Amino acid sequence: MNPSIPPSTAEYGGDEVSAIVLDSGYSTTRAGFAGEDTPKSLIPTYYGRYSLDGQEKLVFGDDVFVTPRPGLSVHNPMGRDGIVEDWDMAERVWEYAFTSRLTGPKSGNPLQNGLNDVLEGELPTDMEGVESEEKLLADSPLLMSEPGWNPTKAREKTIEIAMEKWGTPAFYLARNGVLSAFAAGKASALVVDIGASNISVTPVHDGMILKRGVQHSPLGGDYISSQIRALFKSNAPQPISITPHYLISSKTAVDAGQPPQVKLKTFPPDRVPDSSYRTLLEERTLSEFKECVVQVWPGPNKLSATGPNGVPNEEVAKSNPGRPFEFPDGYNQVFGIDRYRVVESLFDAKAAIPDPESLFPTPSPAQTVPELIKNALNGVDVDVRPHLLANVVVTGASSLLYGFTDRLNQELMQMFPGPRVRISAPGNTAERKFGSWIGGSILASLGTFHQMWISKKEFDEHGPNIVEKRCK
Amino acid sequence: MAAADVRDMLDLPAEGQPRPHKKQKVVEKRPEGITRELFALLGERAPPIAINENRYKGRPKWMSKLRVRPWQMAPFVNSARSDGLVLRHWQRKHEPGKLPALEGSEMEVDENNADETNPSSTPVEESSFSKYNVKARVPNRYTDEEYNRHLQSDKWSRQETDYLMDLVEEYDLRWVVIADRYDYQAHPIDTETNANALVPAKQYRTMEQMKDRYYVIASAMLALEHPPSEMSEAEFELHEKMKNFDPERERSRKELAALQLNRSADDVREESILLEELKRITANEQDFITERRELYSRLEVPISVGNTTMYQSSQGLSQLLQTLLQADKTKKRRSIMGPEGAAAPSPAGQTPAPNAPGSARDSAADTPTAAAPAPPPSNKKAAAAAAAAAAAAATKEAQQSVRTLTPAEEAKYGVQHHDRLAPGVQFRSDRAQKMTQAKSNVQTQKLAAALAELEIPLRLVMPTERVCKDFEKLIHSVNLLLEARKVAEKVEGEIRVLEAAKEERERKNKEKEEKEKPEVKSEQEDRPLSAADAAIEAAAAPDPPSTAETGDKATGDGGAAGPDQGTSHKRSASVLSGTSDKSSKRQRK
């Protein structure tokens, strides 16, 4: 392709207006320009808060992980169900998502930003006529995503922030299920989104979600982490405790199963970061564990059942070679069948590893992925069900668990032996992780989409409730 | 200008040395990113993996000489929007320099004017995508009057109907979405003002109810717009379709669809097996049809109409052979007098148009004989032997491939072996019918009467092979019986005549004796007479009981022999009378 010749718009129907797409999840917030294939700005939704010299300071972005500042506590503006709880902080996090990578910090009110401060002895210049404030997103339309069960109040609050605080000329709020379906190139699909705090199943028909079919449950990536913690507590040679990297001063290699030989860093009591900081960093180790070790039993049948040739699946799983993992403190171990057990409860509620200290209650059968899909299908018209089953889109970073789509396919085939079941899950990690952002990027760069934006003028005329009318 | 002209001009010798032929180097192109020395080291055999850096090529050199064509951020509007939102996108800058020189000045003036009038300088262009903004066609909205007159419904209030129509318009007739989003609150104000008041049970509307209501309204509105008589064809079709919408049927269809969707694995497996079976059957059907067609085409071979009587005598046959030989000789071929010429000429080979089934059988029977004969006397010995061997092998193969059926299987498939087949096709029932026709009319009637008494229809209901056989037997025995009765009647008549004659004679003798020896011998005379009478009486008198017995015995026999024991018990008097006649006759004998 010749870079000096633009692709003709007829080829892809694109018409880029330098819109910004913001897709905020519980774990990470993705932002980028529409028309690109990956979000330029990927930051954790977590933010840190500490006080320095009596002044409260905030840390955003990847900086949260870096320095264990004294008293640093980590918070998340989102609730576990994916709905924003702390609006002020959510706004700050989102702002950070644009300004750090996309728009750059705007100078703010020229009267207050310090650039025009009058030096002593000089006459103040006439400031009349200067626009009082340049807003953050004054020249970029903004497309935001939201979960399918977002309440009206949260939607109205979102458009208020976008219009009034950031001054975007045009705004749209799209369901992330719809966007994931678009990213997979489908207008109608059953989107199975395995996120950090939630798994959700969203039936999408002609680019609109079917509200009665939307299902979600908390068995997301964080739940798997809690299962892994429970597994570590009851680990066979010795219970494993996770020591994050920041606590380790030096370590020596030990054999598998041997207690770690590590020298820990010590913090004076007044400089210790908050426990939430440690939890956050432990989560990072756990997600590494999930990427390297954890595996979904690929089926057929549950892990506790017997396979098609009469051999119990657990036996088969035991005979598979284990996977080694080394923890930050040097402790290492080979994980055999346990690596299947920690995710089995996503499909079989009875297989959950019990842990009374866990934040997550024991899952009910209705919270498992196959049941969610079944309930979602029962909530929609029978005529579209076969079509939805033939277009199951799997997205979300936790769906990257090894063997997840195979198992899902098996479960669906067992549950619906009649209709054709086809799962479409991109093999590309980025496409799976940023499915809904990519869909938003496609949508916001389409020429035909521009008639759907809610403009500033419309917002001023109708108020925030317009989002209910327009973003259906 | 040729080379010779140049040489002339430069005063060079006319025939210079021929230019050394440039050696054509066959050099593999060195891939970019590899130095010459390194490439030389590779030798002749290039490595299987291409070593070249995948890097950005940049723009070709000639392009850098072109003038840069600038782009600019241009505002545009989309006419599909009502608010005139101006968005901006990158566009190639409009270049006045490219315009023809003549118009250039005018254009500039125009632009200057435009600039003066419109300080934002760049005109806002129209988005090329607004043309894709299409809406589904929804019927016109009813007025109050129209609604009250035509569209009243018990189940739907005016407000809810309005709500439905709004939704339909909003979601462009996507019923799946409409049914999903349908959420009509009957009295929103009431429920808000007094929360304690009874909230009416929320009515759940199914998609079918919504569709039904909508189609009623849409068809009514269509009819109001144009009466059905004035509608165009498409409109009328639409109108009919909407008018005939049956929510009940749609509902049951969806129930069935749900059932179909939620089948168990066993059902699915069974269905797949059945489908497989169906596929097999349809595949076989094609074979079957072609086979049958072949069979028909064989059956339809024209039956020879010529008179064959002349060939039935040996003389005629030999004559035929002679004529054929003559014909053969003229053709200089020796097919008939060939390998089997010495053997008896097969009739199949000579009858030009034999009956189809017969010929097929004959030829089949012939093949072994054609193959069997030992050294054929022809000079083409080897070839003939080879042919014979091949034929023998073929027949052997054919015999092996034919499966022999057990008697039970033969009975099952109705396979029969006939010594002789009557030519042509006939019905079994016809044959059975023919048997009931006797030579004389009277006899036929008697037969029919006998069958009627046995309650056997004249025309068989189910003329299977076995039934026909048994029927044949029955007719045969009935014929026998009739014959016997005829004889018996005849004998009885004779007896009666003779008795009458004897009585007459005796009476005469008596009279004579009475005349000759009166009174004395009368008793003696009487006795033998009465004895004779008694004998006759005895012969006649015990008849009824004995005939009954023998008759029973006879029927019993007949039942054992005959096909239908059930009917044999029903034999009534006239048949019995026949048997009784016979038995009495036997007794008498």
Side-chain angles (χ1 to χ4, degrees), chain A residues 8 13 39 47 91 98 108-109 135 180 182 189 193 211 220 222 238 249 252 309 327 343 346 369 429 437 447 460:
Chain A
S8 77
Y47 65 94
E91 186 191 329
F98 326 125
N109 190 337
K135 300 266 179 72
S180 303
F182 286 162
D193 186 348
K211 280 182 181 163
D222 289 349
Q238 55 185 325
S249 164
T252 46
N309 45 8
F327 290 86
V343 278
L346 256 61
V369 180
T429 316
W437 186 89
D460 292 342

PDB file of all heavy atoms in Angstrom, chain A residues 8 13 39 47 91 98 108-109 135 180 182 189 193 211 220 222 238 249 252 309 327 343 346 369 429 437 447 460:
ATOM      1  N   SER A   8      -9.253   4.888  -0.235  1.00  0.00           N
ATOM      2  CA  SER A   8     -10.491   5.578  -0.586  1.00  0.00           C
ATOM      3  C   SER A   8     -11.548   5.226   0.448  1.00  0.00           C
ATOM      4  O   SER A   8     -11.587   4.109   0.965  1.00  0.00           O
ATOM      5  CB  SER A   8     -10.952   5.150  -1.965  1.00  0.00           C
ATOM      6  OG  SER A   8     -11.541   3.889  -1.884  1.00  0.00           O
ATOM      7  N   GLY A  13     -15.414   2.655   4.334  1.00  0.00           N
ATOM      8  CA  GLY A  13     -16.466   3.498   4.909  1.00  0.00           C
ATOM      9  C   GLY A  13     -15.981   4.342   6.060  1.00  0.00           C
ATOM     10  O   GLY A  13     -16.762   4.743   6.911  1.00  0.00           O
ATOM     11  N   PRO A  39      -5.216   0.535  21.663  1.00  0.00           N
ATOM     12  CA  PRO A  39      -5.284   1.784  22.422  1.00  0.00           C
ATOM     13  C   PRO A  39      -3.878   2.290  22.734  1.00  0.00           C
ATOM     14  O   PRO A  39      -3.016   1.523  23.160  1.00  0.00           O
ATOM     15  CB  PRO A  39      -6.040   1.386  23.694  1.00  0.00           C
ATOM     16  CG  PRO A  39      -5.907  -0.083  23.798  1.00  0.00           C
ATOM     17  CD  PRO A  39      -5.778  -0.603  22.419  1.00  0.00           C
ATOM     18  N   TYR A  47      -5.709   3.605  41.385  1.00  0.00           N
ATOM     19  CA  TYR A  47      -4.864   4.775  41.597  1.00  0.00           C
ATOM     20  C   TYR A  47      -4.348   4.733  43.042  1.00  0.00           C
ATOM     21  O   TYR A  47      -4.937   4.052  43.896  1.00  0.00           O
ATOM     22  CB  TYR A  47      -5.620   6.073  41.330  1.00  0.00           C
ATOM     23  CG  TYR A  47      -6.742   6.337  42.279  1.00  0.00           C
ATOM     24  CD1 TYR A  47      -6.552   7.111  43.416  1.00  0.00           C
ATOM     25  CD2 TYR A  47      -7.996   5.797  42.045  1.00  0.00           C
ATOM     26  CE1 TYR A  47      -7.579   7.323  44.303  1.00  0.00           C
ATOM     27  CE2 TYR A  47      -9.030   6.001  42.926  1.00  0.00           C
ATOM     28  CZ  TYR A  47      -8.823   6.765  44.056  1.00  0.00           C
ATOM     29  OH  TYR A  47      -9.842   6.968  44.946  1.00  0.00           O
ATOM     30  N   GLU A  91     -13.263  10.318  37.150  1.00  0.00           N
ATOM     31  CA  GLU A  91     -12.989  11.393  36.200  1.00  0.00           C
ATOM     32  C   GLU A  91     -11.487  11.664  36.125  1.00  0.00           C
ATOM     33  O   GLU A  91     -10.930  11.822  35.024  1.00  0.00           O
ATOM     34  CB  GLU A  91     -13.743  12.630  36.679  1.00  0.00           C
ATOM     35  CG  GLU A  91     -13.676  13.777  35.717  1.00  0.00           C
ATOM     36  CD  GLU A  91     -14.200  15.046  36.371  1.00  0.00           C
ATOM     37  OE1 GLU A  91     -15.094  14.945  37.245  1.00  0.00           O
ATOM     38  OE2 GLU A  91     -13.702  16.114  36.025  1.00  0.00           O
ATOM     39  N   PHE A  98      -6.366  10.180  28.954  1.00  0.00           N
ATOM     40  CA  PHE A  98      -6.140  10.955  27.713  1.00  0.00           C
ATOM     41  C   PHE A  98      -4.858  11.754  27.797  1.00  0.00           C
ATOM     42  O   PHE A  98      -4.092  11.771  26.854  1.00  0.00           O
ATOM     43  CB  PHE A  98      -7.180  12.032  27.401  1.00  0.00           C
ATOM     44  CG  PHE A  98      -8.573  11.767  27.795  1.00  0.00           C
ATOM     45  CD1 PHE A  98      -9.255  12.650  28.591  1.00  0.00           C
ATOM     46  CD2 PHE A  98      -9.209  10.659  27.303  1.00  0.00           C
ATOM     47  CE1 PHE A  98     -10.559  12.420  28.910  1.00  0.00           C
ATOM     48  CE2 PHE A  98     -10.517  10.446  27.629  1.00  0.00           C
ATOM     49  CZ  PHE A  98     -11.209  11.317  28.430  1.00  0.00           C
ATOM     50  N   GLY A 108      -5.359  24.733  30.827  1.00  0.00           N
ATOM     51  CA  GLY A 108      -6.305  25.112  31.867  1.00  0.00           C
ATOM     52  C   GLY A 108      -6.694  26.569  31.763  1.00  0.00           C
ATOM     53  O   GLY A 108      -6.447  27.242  30.749  1.00  0.00           O
ATOM     54  N   ASN A 109      -7.283  27.062  32.809  1.00  0.00           N
ATOM     55  CA  ASN A 109      -7.736  28.444  32.793  1.00  0.00           C
ATOM     56  C   ASN A 109      -6.537  29.385  32.765  1.00  0.00           C
ATOM     57  O   ASN A 109      -5.679  29.343  33.635  1.00  0.00           O
ATOM     58  CB  ASN A 109      -8.546  28.689  34.062  1.00  0.00           C
ATOM     59  CG  ASN A 109      -9.250  30.026  34.014  1.00  0.00           C
ATOM     60  OD1 ASN A 109      -8.816  30.922  33.284  1.00  0.00           O
ATOM     61  ND2 ASN A 109     -10.307  30.156  34.780  1.00  0.00           N
ATOM     62  N   LYS A 135     -11.101  23.582  27.320  1.00  0.00           N
ATOM     63  CA  LYS A 135     -11.411  22.291  27.917  1.00  0.00           C
ATOM     64  C   LYS A 135     -10.492  21.218  27.352  1.00  0.00           C
ATOM     65  O   LYS A 135      -9.898  21.353  26.290  1.00  0.00           O
ATOM     66  CB  LYS A 135     -12.878  21.947  27.612  1.00  0.00           C
ATOM     67  CG  LYS A 135     -13.855  22.970  28.164  1.00  0.00           C
ATOM     68  CD  LYS A 135     -14.341  22.549  29.533  1.00  0.00           C
ATOM     69  CE  LYS A 135     -15.294  23.549  30.137  1.00  0.00           C
ATOM     70  NZ  LYS A 135     -16.597  23.566  29.524  1.00  0.00           N
ATOM     71  N   SER A 180     -17.564  -5.151  21.350  1.00  0.00           N
ATOM     72  CA  SER A 180     -16.807  -6.390  21.150  1.00  0.00           C
ATOM     73  C   SER A 180     -17.324  -7.143  19.939  1.00  0.00           C
ATOM     74  O   SER A 180     -16.554  -7.755  19.195  1.00  0.00           O
ATOM     75  CB  SER A 180     -16.917  -7.281  22.374  1.00  0.00           C
ATOM     76  OG  SER A 180     -16.476  -6.596  23.503  1.00  0.00           O
ATOM     77  N   PHE A 182     -18.664  -5.785  17.316  1.00  0.00           N
ATOM     78  CA  PHE A 182     -18.161  -5.060  16.139  1.00  0.00           C
ATOM     79  C   PHE A 182     -16.707  -5.411  15.877  1.00  0.00           C
ATOM     80  O   PHE A 182     -16.291  -5.567  14.730  1.00  0.00           O
ATOM     81  CB  PHE A 182     -18.292  -3.553  16.330  1.00  0.00           C
ATOM     82  CG  PHE A 182     -19.702  -3.045  16.207  1.00  0.00           C
ATOM     83  CD1 PHE A 182     -20.051  -1.800  16.702  1.00  0.00           C
ATOM     84  CD2 PHE A 182     -20.670  -3.804  15.578  1.00  0.00           C
ATOM     85  CE1 PHE A 182     -21.352  -1.332  16.585  1.00  0.00           C
ATOM     86  CE2 PHE A 182     -21.964  -3.345  15.465  1.00  0.00           C
ATOM     87  CZ  PHE A 182     -22.292  -2.109  15.967  1.00  0.00           C
ATOM     88  N   ALA A 189     -24.438 -10.991  17.730  1.00  0.00           N
ATOM     89  CA  ALA A 189     -23.546 -11.978  18.335  1.00  0.00           C
ATOM     90  C   ALA A 189     -23.924 -12.161  19.790  1.00  0.00           C
ATOM     91  O   ALA A 189     -24.670 -11.359  20.366  1.00  0.00           O
ATOM     92  CB  ALA A 189     -22.091 -11.525  18.245  1.00  0.00           C
ATOM     93  N   ASP A 193     -17.888 -11.985  27.752  1.00  0.00           N
ATOM     94  CA  ASP A 193     -16.766 -11.126  28.126  1.00  0.00           C
ATOM     95  C   ASP A 193     -16.259 -11.576  29.488  1.00  0.00           C
ATOM     96  O   ASP A 193     -16.979 -11.497  30.480  1.00  0.00           O
ATOM     97  CB  ASP A 193     -17.275  -9.675  28.171  1.00  0.00           C
ATOM     98  CG  ASP A 193     -16.137  -8.697  28.406  1.00  0.00           C
ATOM     99  OD1 ASP A 193     -15.038  -9.149  28.752  1.00  0.00           O
ATOM    100  OD2 ASP A 193     -16.368  -7.491  28.242  1.00  0.00           O
ATOM    101  N   LYS A 211     -31.643  -6.278  26.273  1.00  0.00           N
ATOM    102  CA  LYS A 211     -31.439  -6.047  27.714  1.00  0.00           C
ATOM    103  C   LYS A 211     -31.883  -7.224  28.552  1.00  0.00           C
ATOM    104  O   LYS A 211     -31.295  -7.512  29.577  1.00  0.00           O
ATOM    105  CB  LYS A 211     -32.224  -4.810  28.138  1.00  0.00           C
ATOM    106  CG  LYS A 211     -31.506  -3.535  27.785  1.00  0.00           C
ATOM    107  CD  LYS A 211     -32.282  -2.353  28.273  1.00  0.00           C
ATOM    108  CE  LYS A 211     -31.592  -1.060  27.901  1.00  0.00           C
ATOM    109  NZ  LYS A 211     -32.483   0.083  28.008  1.00  0.00           N
ATOM    110  N   GLY A 220     -14.889 -13.393  37.661  1.00  0.00           N
ATOM    111  CA  GLY A 220     -13.908 -12.939  36.674  1.00  0.00           C
ATOM    112  C   GLY A 220     -12.494 -13.285  37.079  1.00  0.00           C
ATOM    113  O   GLY A 220     -12.251 -14.212  37.861  1.00  0.00           O
ATOM    114  N   ASP A 222     -10.418 -11.710  38.990  1.00  0.00           N
ATOM    115  CA  ASP A 222     -10.118 -11.542  40.409  1.00  0.00           C
ATOM    116  C   ASP A 222     -10.604 -12.737  41.217  1.00  0.00           C
ATOM    117  O   ASP A 222      -9.975 -13.145  42.198  1.00  0.00           O
ATOM    118  CB  ASP A 222     -10.768 -10.259  40.935  1.00  0.00           C
ATOM    119  CG  ASP A 222     -10.060  -9.032  40.393  1.00  0.00           C
ATOM    120  OD1 ASP A 222      -8.975  -9.214  39.816  1.00  0.00           O
ATOM    121  OD2 ASP A 222     -10.589  -7.915  40.526  1.00  0.00           O
ATOM    122  N   GLN A 238       3.909 -27.312  51.498  1.00  0.00           N
ATOM    123  CA  GLN A 238       3.790 -26.242  52.485  1.00  0.00           C
ATOM    124  C   GLN A 238       2.918 -25.149  51.882  1.00  0.00           C
ATOM    125  O   GLN A 238       2.910 -24.960  50.659  1.00  0.00           O
ATOM    126  CB  GLN A 238       5.160 -25.675  52.804  1.00  0.00           C
ATOM    127  CG  GLN A 238       5.880 -25.206  51.558  1.00  0.00           C
ATOM    128  CD  GLN A 238       7.271 -24.757  51.867  1.00  0.00           C
ATOM    129  OE1 GLN A 238       7.506 -24.202  52.911  1.00  0.00           O
ATOM    130  NE2 GLN A 238       8.199 -25.002  50.982  1.00  0.00           N
ATOM    131  N   SER A 249      14.832  -8.190  48.908  1.00  0.00           N
ATOM    132  CA  SER A 249      16.121  -7.530  48.763  1.00  0.00           C
ATOM    133  C   SER A 249      17.074  -8.408  47.981  1.00  0.00           C
ATOM    134  O   SER A 249      17.690  -7.962  47.022  1.00  0.00           O
ATOM    135  CB  SER A 249      16.651  -7.212  50.165  1.00  0.00           C
ATOM    136  OG  SER A 249      18.009  -6.922  50.114  1.00  0.00           O
ATOM    137  N   THR A 252      18.312 -16.465  46.857  1.00  0.00           N
ATOM    138  CA  THR A 252      19.163 -17.469  46.209  1.00  0.00           C
ATOM    139  C   THR A 252      18.264 -18.563  45.691  1.00  0.00           C
ATOM    140  O   THR A 252      17.179 -18.813  46.230  1.00  0.00           O
ATOM    141  CB  THR A 252      20.165 -18.077  47.199  1.00  0.00           C
ATOM    142  OG1 THR A 252      19.474 -18.410  48.405  1.00  0.00           O
ATOM    143  CG2 THR A 252      21.299 -17.118  47.490  1.00  0.00           C
ATOM    144  N   ASN A 309     -13.939 -42.157  27.278  1.00  0.00           N
ATOM    145  CA  ASN A 309     -13.462 -43.543  27.234  1.00  0.00           C
ATOM    146  C   ASN A 309     -13.454 -44.189  28.616  1.00  0.00           C
ATOM    147  O   ASN A 309     -12.768 -45.185  28.846  1.00  0.00           O
ATOM    148  CB  ASN A 309     -12.071 -43.609  26.594  1.00  0.00           C
ATOM    149  CG  ASN A 309     -11.171 -42.526  27.142  1.00  0.00           C
ATOM    150  OD1 ASN A 309     -11.533 -41.839  28.084  1.00  0.00           O
ATOM    151  ND2 ASN A 309      -9.993 -42.381  26.563  1.00  0.00           N
ATOM    152  N   PHE A 327       8.161 -18.293  42.267  1.00  0.00           N
ATOM    153  CA  PHE A 327       7.607 -17.093  42.878  1.00  0.00           C
ATOM    154  C   PHE A 327       8.712 -16.060  43.051  1.00  0.00           C
ATOM    155  O   PHE A 327       9.899 -16.381  42.974  1.00  0.00           O
ATOM    156  CB  PHE A 327       6.962 -17.456  44.212  1.00  0.00           C
ATOM    157  CG  PHE A 327       5.720 -18.255  44.027  1.00  0.00           C
ATOM    158  CD1 PHE A 327       5.775 -19.629  43.888  1.00  0.00           C
ATOM    159  CD2 PHE A 327       4.493 -17.630  43.922  1.00  0.00           C
ATOM    160  CE1 PHE A 327       4.626 -20.359  43.681  1.00  0.00           C
ATOM    161  CE2 PHE A 327       3.347 -18.363  43.710  1.00  0.00           C
ATOM    162  CZ  PHE A 327       3.412 -19.737  43.589  1.00  0.00           C
ATOM    163  N   VAL A 343      -9.645 -23.000  38.048  1.00  0.00           N
ATOM    164  CA  VAL A 343     -10.607 -22.354  37.143  1.00  0.00           C
ATOM    165  C   VAL A 343     -11.831 -23.216  36.885  1.00  0.00           C
ATOM    166  O   VAL A 343     -12.751 -22.782  36.207  1.00  0.00           O
ATOM    167  CB  VAL A 343      -9.979 -22.004  35.782  1.00  0.00           C
ATOM    168  CG1 VAL A 343      -9.218 -20.720  35.882  1.00  0.00           C
ATOM    169  CG2 VAL A 343      -9.133 -23.109  35.263  1.00  0.00           C
ATOM    170  N   LEU A 346     -15.459 -21.979  37.190  1.00  0.00           N
ATOM    171  CA  LEU A 346     -16.108 -21.135  36.192  1.00  0.00           C
ATOM    172  C   LEU A 346     -17.148 -21.933  35.404  1.00  0.00           C
ATOM    173  O   LEU A 346     -18.051 -21.364  34.806  1.00  0.00           O
ATOM    174  CB  LEU A 346     -15.062 -20.577  35.215  1.00  0.00           C
ATOM    175  CG  LEU A 346     -14.663 -19.115  35.379  1.00  0.00           C
ATOM    176  CD1 LEU A 346     -14.060 -18.904  36.734  1.00  0.00           C
ATOM    177  CD2 LEU A 346     -13.692 -18.705  34.298  1.00  0.00           C
ATOM    178  N   VAL A 369     -20.307 -19.912  33.654  1.00  0.00           N
ATOM    179  CA  VAL A 369     -20.405 -19.405  32.280  1.00  0.00           C
ATOM    180  C   VAL A 369     -21.493 -20.119  31.478  1.00  0.00           C
ATOM    181  O   VAL A 369     -22.316 -19.452  30.835  1.00  0.00           O
ATOM    182  CB  VAL A 369     -19.035 -19.531  31.578  1.00  0.00           C
ATOM    183  CG1 VAL A 369     -19.128 -19.000  30.165  1.00  0.00           C
ATOM    184  CG2 VAL A 369     -17.969 -18.790  32.335  1.00  0.00           C
ATOM    185  N   THR A 429      -3.594 -11.771  21.081  1.00  0.00           N
ATOM    186  CA  THR A 429      -3.806 -11.392  22.477  1.00  0.00           C
ATOM    187  C   THR A 429      -4.379  -9.979  22.596  1.00  0.00           C
ATOM    188  O   THR A 429      -5.303  -9.741  23.366  1.00  0.00           O
ATOM    189  CB  THR A 429      -2.469 -11.432  23.228  1.00  0.00           C
ATOM    190  OG1 THR A 429      -1.790 -12.605  22.843  1.00  0.00           O
ATOM    191  CG2 THR A 429      -2.687 -11.444  24.693  1.00  0.00           C
ATOM    192  N   TRP A 437     -12.497  -1.998  23.065  1.00  0.00           N
ATOM    193  CA  TRP A 437     -11.895  -0.747  22.610  1.00  0.00           C
ATOM    194  C   TRP A 437     -11.763  -0.753  21.091  1.00  0.00           C
ATOM    195  O   TRP A 437     -12.052   0.251  20.430  1.00  0.00           O
ATOM    196  CB  TRP A 437     -10.511  -0.547  23.237  1.00  0.00           C
ATOM    197  CG  TRP A 437      -9.966   0.796  22.874  1.00  0.00           C
ATOM    198  CD1 TRP A 437     -10.152   1.941  23.562  1.00  0.00           C
ATOM    199  CD2 TRP A 437      -9.216   1.125  21.702  1.00  0.00           C
ATOM    200  NE1 TRP A 437      -9.566   2.983  22.895  1.00  0.00           N
ATOM    201  CE2 TRP A 437      -8.981   2.508  21.739  1.00  0.00           C
ATOM    202  CE3 TRP A 437      -8.734   0.390  20.619  1.00  0.00           C
ATOM    203  CZ2 TRP A 437      -8.275   3.167  20.758  1.00  0.00           C
ATOM    204  CZ3 TRP A 437      -8.036   1.046  19.631  1.00  0.00           C
ATOM    205  CH2 TRP A 437      -7.806   2.427  19.699  1.00  0.00           C
ATOM    206  N   GLY A 447     -17.790   6.554   8.730  1.00  0.00           N
ATOM    207  CA  GLY A 447     -18.439   7.754   8.222  1.00  0.00           C
ATOM    208  C   GLY A 447     -19.907   7.790   8.562  1.00  0.00           C
ATOM    209  O   GLY A 447     -20.482   8.850   8.821  1.00  0.00           O
ATOM    210  N   ASP A 460     -27.100  20.524  25.443  1.00  0.00           N
ATOM    211  CA  ASP A 460     -27.571  21.746  26.077  1.00  0.00           C
ATOM    212  C   ASP A 460     -29.079  21.869  25.972  1.00  0.00           C
ATOM    213  O   ASP A 460     -29.752  22.382  26.866  1.00  0.00           O
ATOM    214  CB  ASP A 460     -26.907  22.968  25.432  1.00  0.00           C
ATOM    215  CG  ASP A 460     -25.422  23.018  25.748  1.00  0.00           C
ATOM    216  OD1 ASP A 460     -25.031  22.335  26.717  1.00  0.00           O
ATOM    217  OD2 ASP A 460     -24.669  23.698  25.025  1.00  0.00           O
TER     218      ASP A 460
END
